[in-house]
Amino acid sequence: MKKTIAGIAALTIALSAFAGCTDKKNDKSTGGSAEAVTTAAQQDTTVEKTTAQDTTAAEKTTASPDDPSASAEEYEKVLREFIDAYNNEDYKKTFELTMPDGAEKVMKLLASSETMQNEYGGISEEEMIKESQESLFLGKKDGTLVPGEIKKTEPLTEEETFELRSEIAMITLCLDYIDSHGGTEGVDAEAMLNEIMDYDLEAAAAEVELDESYYITFGLENEKWDWSGDGNAIVYRVRGGSWKISANDLIGTLSGGKDKRLNTAADSLYKAANTVLIELDEEGHIKNDSDAFIVSSDSSRDFNVPADFDADLFRSRIKNYCDYEGDWFVKMQGAYALETAVFDSEKPHNVGTYPPSDYVDFAYEGMSYDEIYNKACEDIG
């Protein structure tokens, strides 16, 4: 039973990873983790070969080397279909566009498994599909996304697609098992998962062949936010299959301004603010019984600052510990920083906060910088 549950968990991770919201812009790789599965020796039928991470072939591209633009019309169509489905919160369609061909068979089996019915209280295939796609829509606010032209196309190497191929391999192993047993009607889900959990996922990932895979950058607008910038995504085609999209970076760009760089800056600002406040307290500049107040990088947006608190001194000291040069504010009380927010003036809806905006009981998820600032002022009163 434990192995079956582990198999369901691993497979769920693989399914969800295609639609995750992790920012991977710097390394052009998709989310999810092949290490989530503890593997044993693969069965004798497995072809012995080195993994994509260990082979010298890792430097070869998996895309058409001569003319990647030849397929541009096809993968641009998938991109636009995905954004249309995203705008309409069409879970089934985003599932079809982000998952390997045939993945719905696996969802049907999982939903009907004895473990899912007994251990998890029962769940339908439709509910499982929706659950696997929910990470796409975290922080989604109203507003129609409008994709622009594709600005840049970069072929991906085998090494850069290793995690993607690991996720595909998990689904492929299930589909091969289903086909070898005459279809979904003849398959016991627990038996399938128990067998697959004994496979070497790295070796299986090395067997996945991508006809083409690209990291694309394209124009993107949000009509409600009056925002425009660049979106990023991976588009790929498994050998002989249809074009798919891995939306990790796209959702990281458009969903509530989830920018890891800015969240890191907000964290750094929070630590710097507390360091400065300790210094000012030791120097006798802090009145510990003051109400909450806000000091901003823009002095015109300071709010409720005590008359005996030197906001300009605070701003100058912050530069000693935090090198972020964009706009920011710190909400504090006495000698303690409570919250921080930073934003990118070139992309005003891209905001970083500390605590993170999706933190439990933290109320800033999906808000713009101005909305966060206004709410922080309202909370102070």
Side-chain angles (χ1 to χ4, degrees):
M1 176 65 74
K2 288 184 178 180
K3 183 186 284 188
T4 301
I5 293 175
I8 289 175
L11 188 54
T12 301
I13 289 171
L15 286 165
S16 299
F18 291 98
C21 59
T22 306
D23 181 8
K24 293 283 188 176
K25 188 172 183 178
N26 291 331
D27 61 10
K28 297 187 300 182
S29 62
T30 62
S33 174
E35 296 176 356
V37 183
T38 303
T39 57
Q42 191 176 10
Q43 293 183 349
D44 294 337
T45 55
T46 301
V47 177
E48 293 184 1
K49 63 186 293 187
T50 56
T51 69
Q53 289 181 317
D54 297 326
T55 182
T56 56
E59 297 306 316
K60 294 193 240 178
T61 66
T62 58
S64 299
D66 298 325
D67 186 16
S69 64
S71 301
E73 184 176 342
E74 296 177 17
Y75 61 68
E76 184 173 356
K77 179 182 178 183
V78 170
L79 168 66
R80 293 181 182 279
E81 287 181 348
F82 174 83
I83 291 180
D84 184 59
Y86 181 86
N87 286 333
N88 294 315
E89 295 191 45
D90 186 340
Y91 295 94
K92 187 174 187 298
K93 185 64 174 179
T94 58
F95 180 89
E96 293 173 355
L97 294 172
T98 57
M99 299 293 168
D101 292 337
E104 67 279 356
K105 296 180 183 178
V106 181
M107 299 300 273
K108 181 177 181 179
L109 271 177
L110 285 179
S112 64
S113 69
E114 182 179 346
T115 300
M116 293 298 288
Q117 295 300 319
N118 295 338
E119 297 293 321
Y120 297 95
I123 186 171
S124 68
E125 178 184 351
E126 292 74 18
E127 289 172 328
M128 285 203 69
I129 287 177
K130 181 176 180 180
E131 194 168 294
S132 75
Q133 298 294 286
E134 283 186 339
S135 61
L136 284 174
F137 301 95
L138 288 175
K140 183 182 184 299
K141 298 298 180 182
D142 294 336
T144 300
L145 299 169
V146 181
E149 65 178 10
I150 293 178
K151 300 179 179 181
K152 188 176 182 180
T153 300
E154 301 175 73
L156 294 170
T157 66
E158 288 189 18
E159 184 175 7
E160 289 171 331
T161 62
F162 178 75
E163 289 186 8
L164 173 63
R165 287 182 290 111
S166 296
E167 294 149 9
I168 294 170
M170 194 71 180
I171 310 300
T172 301
L173 289 171
C174 291
L175 292 173
D176 288 346
Y177 186 96
I178 291 170
D179 289 342
S180 68
H181 287 73
T184 55
E185 299 302 323
V187 174
D188 177 83
E190 278 78 5
M192 178 186 74
L193 290 171
N194 287 339
E195 182 169 324
I196 288 172
M197 286 296 288
D198 286 334
Y199 274 62
D200 182 342
L201 187 59
E202 288 190 353
E207 296 288 344
V208 174
E209 298 182 39
L210 301 179
D211 284 335
E212 300 176 77
S213 61
Y214 304 106
Y215 189 80
I216 60 173
T217 301
F218 50 91
L220 190 65
E221 297 180 6
N222 184 296
E223 293 179 343
K224 177 186 176 182
W225 298 341
D226 191 23
W227 171 87
S228 63
D230 288 341
N232 297 280
I234 289 175
V235 288
Y236 67 95
R237 189 162 58 88
V238 180
R239 180 73 66 188
S242 56
W243 280 98
K244 301 292 180 179
I245 181 169
S246 178
N248 292 352
D249 285 1
L250 171 59
I251 300 307
T253 299
L254 60 84
S255 184
K258 291 181 174 66
D259 188 320
K260 182 179 289 185
R261 175 181 63 86
L262 293 177
N263 278 340
T264 300
D267 185 13
S268 176
L269 175 63
Y270 177 82
K271 293 172 182 175
N274 275 310
T275 300
V276 172
L277 288 170
I278 290 172
E279 290 180 355
L280 295 180
D281 189 32
E282 291 175 346
E283 295 168 10
H285 295 295
I286 299 292
K287 183 179 179 181
N288 288 303
D289 60 350
S290 68
D291 293 330
F293 61 98
I294 290 174
V295 174
S296 172
S297 56
D298 177 358
S299 60
S300 68
R301 305 192 81 173
D302 289 351
F303 181 78
N304 205 43
V305 178
D308 56 356
F309 184 87
D310 192 337
D312 289 333
L313 179 60
F314 178 84
R315 273 185 283 270
S316 66
R317 294 276 185 95
I318 280 288
K319 296 177 182 179
N320 295 333
Y321 303 102
C322 180
D323 59 4
Y324 183 70
E325 297 180 353
D327 288 77
W328 54 263
F329 76 78
V330 179
K331 178 181 175 181
M332 63 190 89
Q333 186 167 18
Y336 301 97
L338 304 176
E339 303 168 4
T340 61
V342 303
F343 93 115
D344 183 343
S345 60
E346 295 183 357
K347 299 177 181 179
H349 211 90
N350 278 6
V351 181
T353 59
Y354 189 87
S357 60
D358 57 356
Y359 192 78
V360 175
D361 295 330
F362 201 63
Y364 298 149
E365 177 70 13
M367 289 186 179
S368 69
Y369 181 79
D370 285 343
E371 289 170 336
I372 292 172
Y373 172 81
N374 290 336
K375 187 176 188 309
C377 291
E378 291 172 5
D379 291 344
I380 292 173

